[in-house]
Amino acid sequence: MQRFLPAGFWLLALAAFWLLYRPGLPGGFIFDDYPNLQRLATITTGRWQELLSYAVQGIAGPSGRPLSLLTFALQHDSWPADPGAFKRINLLIHAINASLLWWCFARLAQLMNLHQGRWIAPIAAALWLLWPIQVSSVLYVVQRMTLLAATCMFLGLALYVESRSVQPRAAGTTTNKAHALFLLALFVGIGLGMLCKENAIVFPLLVLAVEATLLSRVRRPPRLWLAGLWLPLAAFTIYLLVFLQPWQHYGNRAFDMTERVLTEGRVLWMYVQQIVLPSAGSLRFLYDNYPVSTGLFAPSTTALAWTAWLAVIIAAWQSRRRWPVAAFAVLFFLGSHVLESTIVPLELVFEHRNYLGSPAIALFLVAGLTGITQVRPSVRLALGALYFVMLAVVTFNITSLWGNPLLQKKVWYMQNPDSARVHTTFAAAVLVEGYPEESARLLDIAIERFPTNSALAIARAEIGCYVPELRPASLDQAIAAAAKGDGEILTAVQFLDRIVNAFSENHCSAYSAAEIVDLLRAAQDNPAFQPRLCDLVLLEGIVYSAIGETDRARERLQRALELDRRPRTLIQAASWELSNGNTIEARKHLDALHKLRESKPIQYFAVLDDVKLLELRYRALTSDSGSPE
């Protein structure tokens, strides 16, 4: 009976997990779901060629994340009508990940001879499973990439622990089985993990954190293993610093690299609070208004945060043999953030960045409570039960919001009124529900509150495309925002793209071509928009093409190619030339695209479907029969 009690507890935890997350299944797709999954509509037959073609055309990261995309491709029948089908698979993956953690923690507890290890492992895994901070990772469909990368790393970590458990105690001997498990761990943790999401490159760092703490009293691994862990880290560091040079890619951000690094010290402490002491109000999902640290003492909490982290790191390293679980929590958590919370020019805050590192904190809390021998077991049990009840209440509140998109955006709006992105999101949700007047009113309020935000006034102008009677008296306000605004540049360009495409498809009669061109020219003259200048020039060319001004359209197209000969620009150029019957110029652009297969294969395969369609159009135009369409 004693042997099967932990398994019974685990089944109870899985049942609670399902009941708590079930209210979130009806919610829809949001944000990055659309650009990453919209190509699912191109899968018609479901044949493996189509599935693989979709899988290798990812845009979310340098690797393309083909394994993650393949799982989405297998669900193409559910796009876009049934987001719940995608979320159910996410729930399954999250449950599998928690089970892998139980396995890993249990094996580690055996190697460490940890007191009450039989119970610590399932309780820690259940704690991680139910933590409210995981909700956005699980119910935000496209974050399956995060879940699957964690699956590979957790499985890789479990395999590594198994390799250490079968390693003979005698020095200088290691069995073939141990070597095989180690190699398999690297293949799964790094190889497969990076095909799901690039942050899997930190897997060796996480293994080293385990070695330095939880396995510090066990016989050291072979030197060859340590070399196998350090070499990928060294290679990636060289690639990052020599080739990628992330400090050169901050053009789309309102902060530079130094400011980002300074700010992350405060962000990491906020993450710890959100993990350990969560509340529905503290987990607000959108953090675009998080205050940037412009200096070590601006704000003063920046210096305090980094001083505290430095002290914690030193203490963890010095006490890694005496208090290995505490040291493990610090080193594993920070190791999981070393890519996403340092110099890479990502946004400042996202809750899903804690999915990988938070298990170490769960193990620390459970082992710490179990180790307080001065407190009676009944009291410890009561405290643990109360904590789980508190987590269940918070998690249920958040998942219920994810199941009601309009209410979710309204709550975000009420909780975080200082976020311009929250205002835009709420207005968009109201528009989708069929209330354009209310959406326009909300945007008018937001424009007054955030006068320098470029996206809001352009979003307000977009409503006029669909509901002409709600168009502003003129585009002067949007033009002024495009000319001088400095906030949400990427979002502003997306709104401009939608206005232009609506105009080119005759769905935006409220504005003249001259007005839209003035809007685009204003953005082109704004230094804040310079990283997206090529996109803006292309959009201007589309406007001219829509009204039949071929010469101006071609001039804008050539200007875009001078700015950036990336695949999307070449595709646009080839498509435009084919539409105008210029097969010679189209052939030049198609040849340039095919040359990318050797020089930039990832970019080439990301647009392969578009290239194939262009080739079909080209052959139709150059043959004696067939239609260009």
Side-chain angles (χ1 to χ4, degrees):
M1 193 66 181
Q2 290 292 325
R3 287 182 57 191
F4 291 106
L5 277 176
F9 168 82
W10 185 246
L11 292 176
L12 183 64
L14 290 176
F17 162 67
W18 168 251
L19 292 174
L20 291 173
Y21 272 78
R22 190 175 180 181
L25 294 177
F29 298 103
I30 60 172
F31 301 117
D32 288 348
D33 289 341
Y34 294 101
N36 285 285
L37 304 181
Q38 61 187 356
R39 282 181 172 270
L40 288 174
T42 65
I43 301 176
T44 55
T45 64
R47 292 182 299 178
W48 67 268
Q49 294 96 330
E50 278 191 312
L51 302 181
L52 290 179
S53 177
Y54 173 83
V56 299
Q57 295 185 53
I59 60 172
S63 72
R65 308 178 183 181
L67 283 185
S68 296
L69 291 181
L70 183 59
T71 68
F72 290 126
L74 293 171
Q75 292 187 272
H76 67 276
D77 287 339
S78 299
W79 172 267
D82 187 10
F86 292 89
K87 295 185 179 187
R88 282 189 287 273
I89 297 299
N90 283 16
L91 261 65
L92 175 62
I93 297 170
H94 187 50
I96 291 172
N97 289 348
S99 301
L100 288 172
L101 285 175
W102 177 18
W103 172 25
C104 188
F105 287 161
R107 300 298 283 154
L108 283 168
Q110 289 178 355
L111 284 172
M112 297 172 65
N113 294 320
L114 198 63
H115 178 63
Q116 293 292 336
R118 187 165 53 89
W119 277 104
I120 288 174
I123 294 175
L127 183 59
W128 178 83
L129 176 74
L130 301 177
W131 258 336
I133 200 170
Q134 317 295 14
V135 171
S136 62
S137 300
V138 178
L139 295 181
Y140 186 0
V141 173
V142 80
Q143 287 308 326
R144 181 183 299 179
M145 299 174 180
T146 296
L147 306 185
L148 287 172
T151 303
C152 295
M153 286 188 276
F154 292 158
L155 177 57
L157 194 59
L159 290 169
Y160 180 82
V161 174
E162 285 292 332
S163 72
R164 295 287 273 119
S165 67
V166 300
Q167 186 184 12
R169 296 185 180 274
T173 60
T174 302
T175 63
N176 289 334
K177 181 179 180 181
H179 284 309
L181 285 170
F182 171 74
L183 292 175
L184 184 59
L186 287 185
F187 172 74
V188 173
I190 304 177
L192 298 183
M194 288 189 66
L195 296 180
C196 297
K197 192 176 180 182
E198 295 78 10
N199 67 325
I201 191 61
V202 304
F203 173 74
L205 196 61
L206 303 183
V207 174
L208 290 169
V210 173
E211 279 291 349
T213 56
L214 302 183
L215 300 180
S216 59
R217 298 179 183 177
V218 183
R219 176 197 158 190
R220 286 176 59 84
R223 291 182 180 179
L224 190 61
W225 290 17
L226 295 175
L229 294 171
W230 281 110
L231 281 176
L233 293 174
F236 178 75
T237 302
I238 293 171
Y239 166 77
L240 189 69
L241 300 179
V242 176
F243 299 101
L244 188 60
Q245 298 182 348
W247 53 85
Q248 296 186 1
H249 303 283
Y250 275 81
N252 292 327
R253 301 300 181 194
F255 46 82
D256 58 31
M257 188 176 75
T258 301
E259 290 172 337
R260 185 177 194 276
V261 173
L262 289 173
T263 306
E264 288 301 315
R266 294 166 37 235
V267 172
L268 288 169
W269 282 117
M270 183 187 73
Y271 287 154
V272 173
Q273 179 266 314
Q274 290 176 326
I275 294 169
V276 179
L277 294 173
S279 68
S282 67
L283 295 165
R284 58 182 195 246
F285 186 71
L286 294 174
Y287 298 86
D288 56 294
N289 59 323
Y290 191 86
V292 177
S293 295
T294 56
L296 195 56
F297 298 96
S300 58
T301 50
T302 304
L304 181 62
W306 277 112
T307 301
W309 276 122
L310 184 61
V312 167
I313 293 170
I314 293 173
W317 186 255
Q318 291 181 339
S319 62
R320 65 189 185 280
R321 294 182 64 86
R322 184 179 180 186
W323 294 312
V325 178
F328 166 70
V330 174
L331 298 181
F332 193 92
F333 175 74
L334 294 179
S336 71
H337 278 280
V338 77
L339 183 62
E340 295 177 303
S341 298
T342 52
I343 64 174
V344 179
L346 305 173
E347 293 199 22
L348 293 174
V349 184
F350 267 126
E351 292 163 9
H352 68 259
R353 292 175 186 165
N354 297 280
Y355 190 82
L356 179 61
S358 52
I361 298 178
L363 182 65
F364 168 66
L365 291 179
V366 175
L369 182 63
T370 305
I372 304 176
T373 55
Q374 296 86 350
V375 179
R376 287 185 298 178
S378 58
V379 175
R380 282 180 280 167
L381 181 62
L383 289 174
L386 285 173
Y387 186 62
F388 268 98
V389 169
M390 182 270 288
L391 294 182
V393 171
V394 175
T395 298
F396 182 78
N397 285 336
I398 298 175
T399 58
S400 298
L401 288 179
W402 278 83
N404 188 332
L406 183 59
L407 179 61
Q408 179 189 47
K409 309 308 186 296
K410 184 177 181 179
V411 169
W412 289 351
Y413 181 79
M414 297 169 64
Q415 288 178 338
N416 193 14
D418 294 328
S419 164
R421 193 174 296 175
V422 163
H423 285 256
T424 308
T425 302
F426 184 36
V430 170
L431 181 64
V432 169
E433 292 294 324
Y435 302 100
E437 297 86 356
E438 178 63 12
S439 179
R441 186 186 72 83
L442 290 169
L443 285 172
D444 288 335
I445 294 172
I447 291 167
E448 291 183 10
R449 184 162 190 163
F450 307 98
T452 63
N453 188 287
S454 57
L456 292 169
I458 299 173
R460 176 65 181 85
E462 186 198 7
I463 293 179
C465 278
Y466 313 125
V467 189
E469 57 267 27
L470 291 178
R471 67 153 280 171
S474 70
L475 281 181
D476 289 347
Q477 190 176 48
I479 290 171
K484 299 179 181 179
D486 58 1
E488 294 293 315
I489 299 302
L490 294 177
T491 305
V493 173
Q494 290 171 358
F495 284 127
L496 288 170
D497 181 85
R498 282 153 52 169
I499 291 174
V500 169
N501 281 294
F503 178 82
S504 67
E505 295 170 3
N506 297 318
H507 298 317
C508 190
S509 59
Y511 306 121
S512 67
E515 286 179 303
I516 297 176
V517 168
D518 287 342
L519 180 59
L520 292 168
R521 288 283 178 90
Q524 291 173 40
D525 293 335
N526 184 345
F529 279 86
Q530 290 307 298
R532 313 297 297 187
L533 183 58
C534 180
D535 297 318
L536 297 171
V537 173
L538 274 175
L539 291 176
E540 187 181 348
I542 292 173
V543 174
Y544 285 130
S545 181
I547 60 176
E549 295 194 17
T550 307
D551 291 339
R552 284 190 172 184
R554 176 174 282 108
E555 185 275 326
R556 292 286 83 192
L557 187 60
Q558 292 300 323
R559 174 60 179 151
L561 288 169
E562 292 171 4
L563 289 169
D564 191 348
R565 293 181 64 83
R566 60 187 175 182
R568 289 294 171 189
T569 313
L570 291 167
I571 286 171
Q572 186 70 45
S575 179
W576 189 86
E577 296 291 1
L578 289 172
S579 297
N580 287 276
N582 301 320
T583 56
I584 296 176
E585 291 298 318
R587 184 71 260 168
K588 292 178 182 178
H589 299 314
L590 284 169
D591 290 342
L593 281 165
H594 287 303
K595 288 179 181 178
L596 292 173
R597 183 167 189 169
E598 301 298 329
S599 59
K600 298 178 180 179
I602 293 177
Q603 293 186 22
Y604 174 79
F605 284 109
V607 296
L608 186 57
D609 279 352
D610 292 319
V611 175
K612 289 179 179 178
L613 289 174
L614 289 172
E615 287 287 2
L616 288 173
R617 290 177 61 189
Y618 175 81
R619 285 197 291 271
L621 276 174
T622 54
S623 62
D624 294 331
S625 61
S627 167
E629 296 300 320

